[in-house]
Amino acid sequence: MTPMSTLSPPKAPPVPDWSRLVADSIVQHGAWHTYMKLVEARGRYPDDLSRLGYTEILRNMIVRDFLHHPKGMQAMPKLTPEFLSNFDRFNLTAQEGYLVSLIDGRLDLQKLLLLSPFDHFTTLFNLAKLQHERAITVPQ
Amino acid sequence: MSANSGRYPISERLKTPIAIVSERGAVEWSNAAFEATFGDDAGGWLTDASRAVAGESGWLQGFFVDADELRSIDVDIEGRTYRIDKIMHVDDYDSPSVALWFEDVTRQREAEQAKSDFTAQIVHDLRGPLSGIQGTLEFVLSQEGTKLDPLNSDLLTEAKRESERMMGLINEIMDFSKIQSGSFAVEQEPVRVAGLLKRAVRSLQSVASRDEVFLLSAHGRDVPQIIGSVEKLTQAVINLISNSLKFTPKKGLISVGAQILRKGDVAEAIVITVTDSGMGIKATELQQIWDKYKQSGNKSLRGGGGTGLGLYIVKQVVEAHGGEVTVASVEGVGTSMVLKLPVKRAA
Protein backbone atom coordinates (compact mmCIF):
# COMPACT_ATOMS: atom_id res chain seq x y z
CA MET A 1 0.00 0.00 0.00
CA THR A 2 1.29 3.42 -0.86
CA PRO A 3 1.88 5.60 2.19
CA MET A 4 -0.28 8.73 2.22
CA SER A 5 2.74 11.02 2.42
CA THR A 6 3.99 9.94 -1.00
CA LEU A 7 0.70 10.73 -2.73
CA SER A 8 0.89 14.01 -4.57
CA PRO A 9 -2.27 16.09 -5.11
CA PRO A 10 -3.81 15.89 -8.60
CA LYS A 11 -2.17 18.40 -10.86
CA ALA A 12 -4.10 20.53 -13.34
CA PRO A 13 -3.07 19.67 -16.90
CA PRO A 14 -0.71 22.21 -18.48
CA VAL A 15 -2.59 24.95 -20.31
CA PRO A 16 -2.36 24.47 -24.08
CA ASP A 17 -1.24 27.18 -26.48
CA TRP A 18 -4.85 27.89 -27.45
CA SER A 19 -3.97 30.73 -29.81
CA ARG A 20 -1.87 28.51 -32.08
CA LEU A 21 -4.11 25.42 -31.73
CA VAL A 22 -7.26 27.34 -32.58
CA ALA A 23 -5.68 29.22 -35.49
CA ASP A 24 -4.38 25.95 -37.00
CA SER A 25 -7.65 24.11 -36.42
CA ILE A 26 -9.72 26.83 -38.10
CA VAL A 27 -7.51 26.64 -41.19
CA GLN A 28 -7.49 22.82 -41.32
CA HIS A 29 -10.95 21.86 -40.08
CA GLY A 30 -13.13 24.97 -40.13
CA ALA A 31 -15.04 26.90 -37.48
CA TRP A 32 -17.59 24.28 -36.41
CA HIS A 33 -15.07 21.50 -35.84
CA THR A 34 -12.86 23.88 -33.82
CA TYR A 35 -15.83 25.07 -31.78
CA MET A 36 -16.86 21.49 -30.95
CA LYS A 37 -13.30 20.65 -29.88
CA LEU A 38 -13.22 23.66 -27.55
CA VAL A 39 -16.56 22.62 -26.03
CA GLU A 40 -15.16 19.10 -25.52
CA ALA A 41 -12.10 20.60 -23.80
CA ARG A 42 -14.37 22.12 -21.12
CA GLY A 43 -14.24 18.82 -19.17
CA ARG A 44 -10.44 18.90 -19.05
CA TYR A 45 -10.01 22.65 -18.54
CA PRO A 46 -13.18 23.77 -16.70
CA ASP A 47 -11.59 26.83 -15.07
CA ASP A 48 -9.47 27.98 -17.99
CA LEU A 49 -10.70 31.47 -18.88
CA SER A 50 -8.66 31.50 -22.10
CA ARG A 51 -10.49 28.41 -23.39
CA LEU A 52 -13.73 30.21 -22.67
CA GLY A 53 -12.50 33.26 -24.60
CA TYR A 54 -11.50 31.15 -27.62
CA THR A 55 -14.88 29.41 -27.54
CA GLU A 56 -16.53 32.85 -27.71
CA ILE A 57 -14.32 33.83 -30.66
CA LEU A 58 -15.56 30.75 -32.52
CA ARG A 59 -19.22 31.40 -31.65
CA ASN A 60 -18.77 34.97 -32.80
CA MET A 61 -17.17 33.82 -36.04
CA ILE A 62 -20.01 31.37 -36.72
CA VAL A 63 -22.72 34.00 -36.15
CA ARG A 64 -20.87 36.61 -38.23
CA ASP A 65 -20.62 34.14 -41.13
CA PHE A 66 -24.33 33.35 -40.76
CA LEU A 67 -25.13 37.07 -40.94
CA HIS A 68 -23.10 37.41 -44.14
CA HIS A 69 -26.01 35.92 -46.11
CA PRO A 70 -26.58 38.05 -49.23
CA LYS A 71 -30.11 38.87 -48.09
CA GLY A 72 -28.96 39.82 -44.61
CA MET A 73 -31.78 40.09 -42.10
CA GLN A 74 -34.33 39.56 -44.88
CA ALA A 75 -33.12 35.99 -45.45
CA MET A 76 -35.90 33.43 -44.85
CA PRO A 77 -34.86 30.13 -43.28
CA LYS A 78 -36.94 27.06 -44.09
CA LEU A 79 -36.95 23.49 -42.91
CA THR A 80 -35.11 20.98 -45.11
CA PRO A 81 -36.92 18.01 -46.65
CA GLU A 82 -34.50 15.78 -44.73
CA PHE A 83 -35.61 17.31 -41.44
CA LEU A 84 -39.31 17.07 -42.32
CA SER A 85 -39.06 13.43 -43.32
CA ASN A 86 -36.65 12.24 -40.67
CA PHE A 87 -36.64 14.69 -37.75
CA ASP A 88 -35.99 11.94 -35.17
CA ARG A 89 -32.43 11.81 -36.48
CA PHE A 90 -31.82 15.36 -35.29
CA ASN A 91 -30.89 15.60 -31.66
CA LEU A 92 -32.22 19.09 -30.97
CA THR A 93 -31.83 21.04 -27.75
CA ALA A 94 -34.89 22.71 -26.22
CA GLN A 95 -33.86 26.10 -27.65
CA GLU A 96 -33.29 24.66 -31.13
CA GLY A 97 -36.62 22.81 -30.95
CA TYR A 98 -38.43 26.03 -30.07
CA LEU A 99 -36.79 27.91 -32.94
CA VAL A 100 -37.64 25.12 -35.39
CA SER A 101 -41.27 25.47 -34.35
CA LEU A 102 -41.18 29.12 -35.48
CA ILE A 103 -39.73 28.44 -38.92
CA ASP A 104 -42.43 28.31 -41.58
CA GLY A 105 -40.52 29.60 -44.61
CA ARG A 106 -42.26 32.98 -44.44
CA LEU A 107 -40.59 34.59 -41.44
CA ASP A 108 -37.30 36.31 -42.17
CA LEU A 109 -34.43 36.58 -39.69
CA GLN A 110 -35.60 40.01 -38.52
CA LYS A 111 -39.02 38.64 -37.53
CA LEU A 112 -37.55 35.47 -36.03
CA LEU A 113 -35.36 37.61 -33.78
CA LEU A 114 -38.43 39.54 -32.64
CA LEU A 115 -40.40 36.37 -31.92
CA SER A 116 -37.57 34.45 -30.27
CA PRO A 117 -37.54 34.59 -26.46
CA PHE A 118 -33.75 34.22 -26.47
CA ASP A 119 -31.20 37.00 -26.90
CA HIS A 120 -30.35 37.85 -30.51
CA PHE A 121 -26.90 36.29 -30.47
CA THR A 122 -28.15 32.98 -29.04
CA THR A 123 -31.00 32.89 -31.56
CA LEU A 124 -28.62 33.46 -34.48
CA PHE A 125 -26.13 30.93 -33.15
CA ASN A 126 -28.82 28.28 -32.82
CA LEU A 127 -30.07 29.03 -36.35
CA ALA A 128 -26.49 28.72 -37.65
CA LYS A 129 -26.19 25.38 -35.84
CA LEU A 130 -29.48 24.17 -37.34
CA GLN A 131 -28.17 25.19 -40.77
CA HIS A 132 -24.86 23.40 -40.14
CA GLU A 133 -26.76 20.25 -39.17
CA ARG A 134 -28.94 20.64 -42.29
CA ALA A 135 -32.17 20.90 -40.34
CA ILE A 136 -32.81 24.26 -42.01
CA THR A 137 -31.64 25.94 -45.15
CA VAL A 138 -31.44 29.66 -45.89
CA PRO A 139 -32.05 30.09 -49.63
CA GLN A 140 -30.18 32.90 -51.38
CA MET B 1 23.86 42.19 15.68
CA SER B 2 27.17 42.09 17.43
CA ALA B 3 26.99 38.33 17.91
CA ASN B 4 26.76 37.96 14.14
CA SER B 5 29.14 40.74 13.20
CA GLY B 6 31.21 39.85 10.14
CA ARG B 7 28.82 37.11 9.10
CA TYR B 8 27.55 38.96 6.01
CA PRO B 9 30.40 41.37 5.17
CA ILE B 10 28.94 42.74 1.93
CA SER B 11 25.46 43.35 3.34
CA GLU B 12 27.12 44.90 6.36
CA ARG B 13 28.56 47.71 4.26
CA LEU B 14 25.46 48.48 2.17
CA LYS B 15 23.78 51.82 2.82
CA THR B 16 20.31 50.34 2.59
CA PRO B 17 18.94 48.93 5.85
CA ILE B 18 18.84 45.13 5.81
CA ALA B 19 17.74 42.83 8.61
CA ILE B 20 17.10 39.15 9.17
CA VAL B 21 13.88 38.94 11.12
CA SER B 22 12.25 35.93 12.73
CA GLU B 23 8.58 35.02 12.43
CA ARG B 24 7.98 36.56 15.87
CA GLY B 25 9.61 39.86 14.92
CA ALA B 26 12.99 39.34 16.60
CA VAL B 27 15.96 40.87 14.77
CA GLU B 28 18.42 38.01 14.31
CA TRP B 29 20.92 40.10 12.36
CA SER B 30 21.02 43.60 10.92
CA ASN B 31 23.51 45.78 9.11
CA ALA B 32 24.85 49.12 10.29
CA ALA B 33 22.45 51.07 8.07
CA PHE B 34 19.49 49.32 9.73
CA GLU B 35 20.75 50.18 13.19
CA ALA B 36 21.51 53.78 12.19
CA THR B 37 18.03 54.19 10.72
CA PHE B 38 15.91 52.39 13.27
CA GLY B 39 18.15 52.23 16.34
CA ASP B 40 17.04 49.94 19.10
CA ASP B 41 13.33 50.66 18.54
CA ALA B 42 12.94 48.19 15.68
CA GLY B 43 12.06 45.31 18.00
CA GLY B 44 8.84 47.04 19.03
CA TRP B 45 7.23 47.66 15.66
CA LEU B 46 8.57 44.39 14.22
CA THR B 47 6.92 42.46 17.05
CA ASP B 48 3.68 44.36 16.40
CA ALA B 49 3.96 43.53 12.67
CA SER B 50 4.23 39.83 13.48
CA ARG B 51 0.87 39.71 15.27
CA ALA B 52 -2.69 39.66 14.02
CA VAL B 53 -4.54 42.71 15.30
CA ALA B 54 -8.37 42.81 15.18
CA GLY B 55 -8.41 39.87 12.77
CA GLU B 56 -5.97 41.57 10.36
CA SER B 57 -2.64 39.81 9.75
CA GLY B 58 0.48 41.80 10.61
CA TRP B 59 2.49 42.68 7.49
CA LEU B 60 5.46 40.60 8.66
CA GLN B 61 3.30 37.44 8.64
CA GLY B 62 2.80 37.84 4.89
CA PHE B 63 6.49 37.22 4.25
CA PHE B 64 6.24 33.74 5.79
CA VAL B 65 3.21 32.46 3.86
CA ASP B 66 5.09 31.17 0.83
CA ALA B 67 8.85 30.56 0.93
CA ASP B 68 9.20 31.04 -2.84
CA GLU B 69 7.14 34.20 -3.18
CA LEU B 70 9.12 37.43 -3.46
CA ARG B 71 6.82 39.78 -1.63
CA SER B 72 7.07 43.55 -1.44
CA ILE B 73 5.04 45.89 0.76
CA ASP B 74 4.99 49.61 1.56
CA VAL B 75 4.84 50.28 5.30
CA ASP B 76 4.75 53.53 7.29
CA ILE B 77 7.35 53.42 10.07
CA GLU B 78 7.95 56.34 12.38
CA GLY B 79 6.59 58.93 9.97
CA ARG B 80 8.36 57.66 6.87
CA THR B 81 7.34 55.14 4.18
CA TYR B 82 9.52 52.11 3.54
CA ARG B 83 9.21 49.63 0.69
CA ILE B 84 10.12 46.32 2.31
CA ASP B 85 11.23 43.53 -0.01
CA LYS B 86 11.90 39.96 0.97
CA ILE B 87 15.38 38.95 -0.21
CA MET B 88 15.23 35.32 0.86
CA HIS B 89 14.22 32.86 3.56
CA VAL B 90 17.00 32.13 6.05
CA ASP B 91 17.28 28.78 7.85
CA ASP B 92 20.38 29.54 9.93
CA TYR B 93 18.49 30.54 13.08
CA ASP B 94 16.36 28.74 15.66
CA SER B 95 13.10 29.94 14.17
CA PRO B 96 12.15 30.58 10.53
CA SER B 97 13.50 33.94 9.39
CA VAL B 98 13.50 36.22 6.36
CA ALA B 99 16.09 38.69 5.11
CA LEU B 100 14.35 42.02 4.49
CA TRP B 101 15.47 45.08 2.50
CA PHE B 102 14.09 48.45 3.68
CA GLU B 103 14.04 51.15 1.01
CA ASP B 104 12.92 54.61 2.08
CA VAL B 105 10.33 55.66 -0.54
CA THR B 106 8.90 58.63 1.37
CA ARG B 107 9.98 61.23 -1.19
CA GLN B 108 8.89 59.03 -4.08
CA ARG B 109 5.43 58.64 -2.51
CA GLU B 110 5.17 62.38 -1.88
CA ALA B 111 6.10 63.07 -5.51
CA GLU B 112 3.48 60.55 -6.70
CA GLN B 113 0.85 62.20 -4.52
CA ALA B 114 1.78 65.67 -5.82
CA LYS B 115 1.58 64.41 -9.41
CA SER B 116 -1.77 62.79 -8.72
CA ASP B 117 -3.17 65.96 -7.11
CA PHE B 118 -1.97 68.02 -10.06
CA THR B 119 -3.56 65.63 -12.57
CA ALA B 120 -6.84 65.64 -10.66
CA GLN B 121 -6.89 69.45 -10.72
CA ILE B 122 -6.09 69.63 -14.47
CA VAL B 123 -8.74 67.03 -15.26
CA HIS B 124 -11.30 68.91 -13.21
CA ASP B 125 -10.45 72.19 -14.97
CA LEU B 126 -10.72 70.57 -18.43
CA ARG B 127 -14.05 68.86 -17.79
CA GLY B 128 -15.92 72.07 -16.98
CA PRO B 129 -15.50 73.89 -20.32
CA LEU B 130 -15.78 70.63 -22.29
CA SER B 131 -19.14 69.88 -20.67
CA GLY B 132 -20.24 73.36 -21.76
CA ILE B 133 -19.19 72.70 -25.37
CA GLN B 134 -20.99 69.34 -25.37
CA GLY B 135 -24.17 70.85 -23.96
CA THR B 136 -24.16 73.62 -26.57
CA LEU B 137 -23.64 71.20 -29.47
CA GLU B 138 -26.37 68.89 -28.19
CA PHE B 139 -28.75 71.84 -27.85
CA VAL B 140 -28.12 73.07 -31.41
CA LEU B 141 -28.42 69.60 -32.91
CA SER B 142 -31.60 68.79 -31.01
CA GLN B 143 -33.51 71.91 -32.14
CA GLU B 144 -36.01 70.50 -34.62
CA GLY B 145 -36.86 73.92 -35.99
CA THR B 146 -33.22 74.84 -36.68
CA LYS B 147 -32.45 74.89 -40.35
CA LEU B 148 -28.98 73.46 -40.65
CA ASP B 149 -27.70 72.71 -44.11
CA PRO B 150 -26.34 69.15 -44.43
CA LEU B 151 -22.70 70.26 -44.36
CA ASN B 152 -23.08 72.25 -41.14
CA SER B 153 -25.12 69.47 -39.58
CA ASP B 154 -22.37 66.95 -40.42
CA LEU B 155 -19.68 69.26 -39.04
CA LEU B 156 -21.56 69.81 -35.78
CA THR B 157 -22.20 66.08 -35.43
CA GLU B 158 -18.51 65.40 -35.95
CA ALA B 159 -17.62 68.09 -33.36
CA LYS B 160 -20.02 66.44 -30.88
CA ARG B 161 -18.50 63.02 -31.52
CA GLU B 162 -14.97 64.31 -31.02
CA SER B 163 -15.98 66.14 -27.83
CA GLU B 164 -17.38 62.84 -26.52
CA ARG B 165 -14.11 61.16 -27.36
CA MET B 166 -12.17 63.86 -25.57
CA MET B 167 -14.39 63.49 -22.49
CA GLY B 168 -13.69 59.75 -22.56
CA LEU B 169 -9.94 60.40 -22.63
CA ILE B 170 -10.18 62.89 -19.77
CA ASN B 171 -12.20 60.40 -17.71
CA GLU B 172 -9.56 57.73 -18.36
CA ILE B 173 -6.83 60.06 -17.10
CA MET B 174 -8.91 60.82 -14.01
CA ASP B 175 -9.45 57.12 -13.25
CA PHE B 176 -5.75 56.45 -13.82
CA SER B 177 -4.83 59.27 -11.47
CA LYS B 178 -7.09 57.79 -8.78
CA ILE B 179 -5.57 54.34 -9.26
CA GLN B 180 -2.05 55.76 -8.95
CA SER B 181 -2.86 57.67 -5.77
CA GLY B 182 -4.60 54.69 -4.19
CA SER B 183 -7.93 56.53 -3.92
CA PHE B 184 -9.73 54.23 -6.39
CA ALA B 185 -12.45 52.92 -4.11
CA VAL B 186 -15.05 50.39 -5.23
CA GLU B 187 -18.57 50.78 -3.91
CA GLN B 188 -20.26 47.74 -2.37
CA GLU B 189 -23.71 47.80 -3.94
CA PRO B 190 -25.80 45.07 -5.60
CA VAL B 191 -25.03 44.95 -9.33
CA ARG B 192 -27.49 43.41 -11.78
CA VAL B 193 -25.07 42.20 -14.43
CA ALA B 194 -27.70 41.58 -17.13
CA GLY B 195 -28.97 45.17 -16.81
CA LEU B 196 -25.41 46.52 -16.75
CA LEU B 197 -24.53 44.75 -20.01
CA LYS B 198 -27.77 45.88 -21.60
CA ARG B 199 -27.01 49.52 -20.75
CA ALA B 200 -23.44 49.24 -22.02
CA VAL B 201 -24.60 47.74 -25.33
CA ARG B 202 -27.38 50.31 -25.69
CA SER B 203 -25.00 53.22 -25.10
CA LEU B 204 -22.82 52.20 -28.06
CA GLN B 205 -25.49 50.80 -30.38
CA SER B 206 -25.72 54.02 -32.41
CA VAL B 207 -21.92 54.13 -32.84
CA ALA B 208 -21.92 50.50 -33.99
CA SER B 209 -24.74 51.20 -36.48
CA ARG B 210 -22.85 54.20 -37.84
CA ASP B 211 -19.76 52.00 -38.30
CA GLU B 212 -21.91 49.22 -39.85
CA VAL B 213 -20.88 46.74 -37.16
CA PHE B 214 -23.35 44.33 -35.54
CA LEU B 215 -23.37 44.74 -31.76
CA LEU B 216 -25.36 41.99 -30.02
CA SER B 217 -26.09 40.96 -26.45
CA ALA B 218 -25.35 37.30 -25.81
CA HIS B 219 -26.71 36.67 -22.34
CA GLY B 220 -29.96 35.61 -20.75
CA ARG B 221 -31.83 37.38 -17.97
CA ASP B 222 -30.97 34.88 -15.25
CA VAL B 223 -27.50 36.21 -14.51
CA PRO B 224 -27.05 36.48 -10.73
CA GLN B 225 -26.30 39.74 -8.94
CA ILE B 226 -22.82 40.55 -7.75
CA ILE B 227 -21.58 43.10 -5.23
CA GLY B 228 -19.54 46.02 -6.50
CA SER B 229 -19.72 49.29 -8.37
CA VAL B 230 -22.38 49.55 -11.09
CA GLU B 231 -20.75 52.69 -12.49
CA LYS B 232 -17.19 51.36 -12.69
CA LEU B 233 -18.17 47.97 -14.09
CA THR B 234 -20.44 49.57 -16.69
CA GLN B 235 -17.58 51.85 -17.71
CA ALA B 236 -15.24 48.86 -17.93
CA VAL B 237 -17.58 47.03 -20.32
CA ILE B 238 -18.10 50.23 -22.35
CA ASN B 239 -14.30 50.58 -22.59
CA LEU B 240 -14.03 47.05 -23.96
CA ILE B 241 -16.82 47.52 -26.52
CA SER B 242 -15.32 50.88 -27.61
CA ASN B 243 -11.98 49.18 -28.02
CA SER B 244 -13.51 46.41 -30.13
CA LEU B 245 -15.27 48.99 -32.30
CA LYS B 246 -11.90 50.52 -33.20
CA PHE B 247 -10.61 47.26 -34.63
CA THR B 248 -13.71 45.59 -36.11
CA PRO B 249 -14.28 46.13 -39.84
CA LYS B 250 -17.61 46.89 -41.52
CA LYS B 251 -20.10 43.98 -41.40
CA GLY B 252 -18.16 42.64 -38.42
CA LEU B 253 -19.75 41.43 -35.21
CA ILE B 254 -19.23 42.30 -31.55
CA SER B 255 -21.01 40.14 -28.97
CA VAL B 256 -21.31 40.89 -25.27
CA GLY B 257 -21.98 37.80 -23.18
CA ALA B 258 -22.24 36.61 -19.61
CA GLN B 259 -21.90 33.08 -18.29
CA ILE B 260 -22.16 31.64 -14.82
CA LEU B 261 -19.33 29.53 -13.41
CA ARG B 262 -20.71 27.05 -10.88
CA LYS B 263 -19.21 24.82 -8.24
CA GLY B 264 -21.91 22.19 -7.84
CA ASP B 265 -25.21 24.07 -7.73
CA VAL B 266 -23.71 27.29 -6.43
CA ALA B 267 -22.91 30.20 -8.74
CA GLU B 268 -19.30 31.00 -7.95
CA ALA B 269 -18.44 33.65 -10.53
CA ILE B 270 -19.79 35.49 -13.54
CA VAL B 271 -17.70 35.63 -16.68
CA ILE B 272 -18.34 38.61 -18.94
CA THR B 273 -16.98 38.38 -22.49
CA VAL B 274 -16.69 41.08 -25.13
CA THR B 275 -15.84 39.33 -28.37
CA ASP B 276 -15.19 40.87 -31.78
CA SER B 277 -14.44 39.72 -35.29
CA GLY B 278 -11.63 42.26 -35.64
CA MET B 279 -8.09 41.80 -36.83
CA GLY B 280 -6.93 40.06 -33.66
CA ILE B 281 -3.79 40.59 -31.60
CA LYS B 282 -0.38 39.06 -32.21
CA ALA B 283 0.41 36.23 -29.75
CA THR B 284 3.54 38.09 -28.68
CA GLU B 285 1.47 41.14 -27.63
CA LEU B 286 -1.29 39.29 -25.78
CA GLN B 287 0.32 39.38 -22.34
CA GLN B 288 1.05 43.12 -22.46
CA ILE B 289 -2.29 44.52 -23.55
CA TRP B 290 -3.43 45.15 -19.96
CA ASP B 291 -0.33 47.22 -19.20
CA LYS B 292 -0.60 50.98 -18.89
CA TYR B 293 0.30 53.04 -21.98
CA LYS B 294 0.31 49.84 -24.02
CA GLN B 295 -1.49 50.10 -27.33
CA SER B 296 -1.95 47.37 -29.88
CA GLY B 297 0.53 47.29 -32.74
CA ASN B 298 -2.55 47.14 -34.99
CA LYS B 299 -3.80 50.43 -36.32
CA SER B 300 -7.33 51.46 -35.40
CA LEU B 301 -9.68 51.19 -38.38
CA ARG B 302 -11.48 54.36 -37.37
CA GLY B 303 -8.67 56.71 -36.41
CA GLY B 304 -8.50 58.48 -33.10
CA GLY B 305 -5.84 57.15 -30.78
CA GLY B 306 -6.37 56.80 -27.06
CA THR B 307 -4.41 57.27 -23.88
CA GLY B 308 -3.36 53.62 -23.77
CA LEU B 309 -4.98 53.47 -20.34
CA GLY B 310 -8.39 51.96 -21.19
CA LEU B 311 -7.54 48.28 -20.76
CA TYR B 312 -5.26 49.00 -17.80
CA ILE B 313 -8.19 50.69 -16.05
CA VAL B 314 -10.49 47.75 -16.91
CA LYS B 315 -8.00 45.38 -15.27
CA GLN B 316 -7.73 47.57 -12.16
CA VAL B 317 -11.55 47.77 -11.87
CA VAL B 318 -11.96 44.00 -12.18
CA GLU B 319 -9.13 43.27 -9.73
CA ALA B 320 -10.62 45.78 -7.27
CA HIS B 321 -13.73 43.56 -7.38
CA GLY B 322 -11.63 40.48 -6.56
CA GLY B 323 -11.82 39.28 -10.16
CA GLU B 324 -9.40 38.55 -12.96
CA VAL B 325 -9.05 39.35 -16.64
CA THR B 326 -7.66 37.53 -19.63
CA VAL B 327 -7.67 37.86 -23.38
CA ALA B 328 -7.99 35.36 -26.20
CA SER B 329 -7.17 36.26 -29.76
CA VAL B 330 -6.63 34.71 -33.17
CA GLU B 331 -5.06 36.95 -35.78
CA GLY B 332 -7.44 37.64 -38.63
CA VAL B 333 -10.37 36.04 -36.76
CA GLY B 334 -11.06 38.09 -33.64
CA THR B 335 -10.46 38.81 -29.99
CA SER B 336 -12.33 38.03 -26.80
CA MET B 337 -11.80 40.00 -23.60
CA VAL B 338 -12.77 37.89 -20.59
CA LEU B 339 -13.64 39.32 -17.16
CA LYS B 340 -14.27 36.96 -14.24
CA LEU B 341 -16.10 38.47 -11.27
CA PRO B 342 -16.78 36.55 -8.05
CA VAL B 343 -20.38 36.26 -6.87
CA LYS B 344 -20.19 37.63 -3.33
CA ARG B 345 -23.07 37.13 -1.01
CA ALA B 346 -24.20 39.18 1.92
CA ALA B 347 -22.82 37.73 5.17
Side-chain angles (χ1 to χ4, degrees), chain B residues 50-162:
Chain B
S50 69
R51 294 189 189 126
V53 178
E56 292 279 324
S57 299
W59 57 260
L60 185 60
Q61 291 177 305
F63 287 111
F64 289 88
V65 173
D66 182 349
D68 297 325
E69 190 189 10
L70 291 174
R71 188 178 273 256
S72 176
I73 187 171
D74 286 2
V75 177
D76 290 328
I77 301 169
E78 295 168 354
R80 300 195 69 78
T81 305
Y82 289 88
R83 182 154 300 151
I84 306 176
D85 289 290
K86 181 172 83 179
I87 304 170
M88 59 191 287
H89 269 253
V90 182
D91 297 326
D92 301 355
Y93 300 92
D94 292 341
S95 54
S97 304
V98 284
L100 300 177
W101 173 283
F102 296 75
E103 183 188 359
D104 189 341
V105 292
T106 310
R107 290 193 67 182
Q108 190 182 327
R109 288 286 292 271
E110 285 169 356
E112 277 169 11
Q113 187 58 48
K115 188 176 76 178
S116 175
D117 293 347
F118 176 73
T119 310
Q121 187 61 45
I122 290 285
V123 162
H124 181 262
D125 289 351
L126 286 174
R127 278 170 61 134
L130 188 57
S131 296
I133 294 169
Q134 281 188 313
T136 307
L137 289 168
E138 268 166 32
F139 178 76
V140 173
L141 285 165
S142 67
Q143 294 301 296
E144 287 180 9
T146 310
K147 297 254 189 227
L148 284 173
D149 65 55
L151 176 64
N152 285 340
S153 176
D154 285 353
L155 288 172
L156 285 173
T157 304
E158 184 60 24
K160 180 170 171 279
R161 198 178 297 149
E162 286 301 304

Side-chain angles (χ1 to χ4, degrees), chain A residues 45-85:
Chain A
Y45 305 99
D47 300 323
D48 184 348
L49 289 184
S50 289
R51 183 200 57 79
L52 213 146
Y54 283 100
T55 310
E56 285 308 301
I57 290 174
L58 265 298
R59 274 163 41 93
N60 202 67
M61 183 183 184
I62 287 164
V63 172
R64 186 206 55 184
D65 290 349
F66 186 72
L67 284 169
H68 274 198
H69 191 280
K71 290 186 180 169
M73 286 295 185
Q74 276 68 53
M76 282 189 199
K78 63 178 193 179
L79 301 175
T80 60
E82 190 184 352
F83 179 81
L84 291 168
S85 62

Side-chain angles (χ1 to χ4, degrees), chain B residues 211-236:
Chain B
D211 295 342
E212 295 181 48
V213 169
F214 293 103
L215 172 57
L216 299 178
S217 293
H219 57 87
R221 296 186 199 109
D222 58 342
V223 186
Q225 279 192 168
I226 60 169
I227 302 295
S229 164
V230 177
E231 187 197 334
K232 288 190 172 76
L233 287 171
T234 306
Q235 194 55 49

Side-chain angles (χ1 to χ4, degrees), chain A residues 19 22-23 26 46-47 49-50 52-54 56-57 59-61 63-64 67-68 73 117 119-122 124, chain B residues 214 216-219 251 253 255 259 263 271 273 275-277 286 324 326 328-330 333-336 338 340:
Chain A
S19 180
V22 170
I26 290 170
D47 300 323
L49 289 184
S50 289
L52 213 146
Y54 283 100
E56 285 308 301
I57 290 174
R59 274 163 41 93
N60 202 67
M61 183 183 184
V63 172
R64 186 206 55 184
L67 284 169
H68 274 198
M73 286 295 185
D119 64 79
H120 289 184
F121 185 88
T122 303
L124 290 165
Chain B
F214 293 103
L216 299 178
S217 293
H219 57 87
K251 306 293 177 196
L253 169 64
S255 53
Q259 299 178 37
K263 275 270 161 26
V271 177
T273 49
T275 309
D276 64 55
S277 60
L286 274 182
E324 58 182 298
T326 194
S329 191
V330 181
V333 176
T335 300
S336 186
V338 185
K340 180 182 171 189

